[in-house]
Amino acid sequence: MLLCREINYYTVFQHRKPTRAEFDTFGNAVISILLETGWTIHSDEIEEDSEHCEIWAKNETTGQEAHAFMLFPYDEGVVTYV
């Protein structure tokens, strides 16, 4: 799941091996998706380990400040919007 609680952003990905050779990790594939959909990455360093990846990004079309997105395993669960 890619989660940014500050802006109520939730995306659940079906994880398979990346099909394009330029993606060496799933985190890099997600970063590419963010870039292709109008986000600018503001992290100086993508912190990636076996459990999660933290990404700081800003959507240039909305003019909002940068937000922290967490990419983490989400095998089961429920997302509710309040």
Side-chain angles (χ1 to χ4, degrees), residues 46-65:
I46 304 300
E47 297 177 21
E48 191 164 352
D49 62 25
S50 61
E51 292 297 317
H52 75 281
C53 177
E54 180 178 329
I55 304 164
W56 283 84
K58 177 180 178 179
N59 190 319
E60 297 298 335
T61 59
T62 63
Q64 295 177 341
E65 61 188 43

Side-chain angles (χ1 to χ4, degrees), residues 20-32:
R20 293 192 258 177
E22 69 266 23
F23 302 134
D24 56 344
T25 66
F26 183 63
N28 286 337
V30 171
I31 289 169
S32 178

Side-chain angles (χ1 to χ4, degrees), residues 2-7 27 30-32 34-35 38-48 52-60 64-71:
L2 182 63
L3 166 69
C4 179
R5 179 63 183 106
E6 293 176 318
I7 59 172
V30 171
I31 289 169
S32 178
L34 286 172
L35 292 172
W39 291 88
T40 303
I41 305 301
H42 285 268
S43 289
D44 292 332
E45 178 179 325
I46 304 300
E47 297 177 21
E48 191 164 352
H52 75 281
C53 177
E54 180 178 329
I55 304 164
W56 283 84
K58 177 180 178 179
N59 190 319
E60 297 298 335
Q64 295 177 341
E65 61 188 43
H67 297 285
F69 290 78
M70 296 301 294
L71 178 65

Side-chain angles (χ1 to χ4, degrees), residues 64-82:
Q64 295 177 341
E65 61 188 43
H67 297 285
F69 290 78
M70 296 301 294
L71 178 65
F72 56 91
Y74 193 75
D75 297 332
E76 293 182 19
V78 176
V79 176
T80 59
Y81 179 77
V82 178

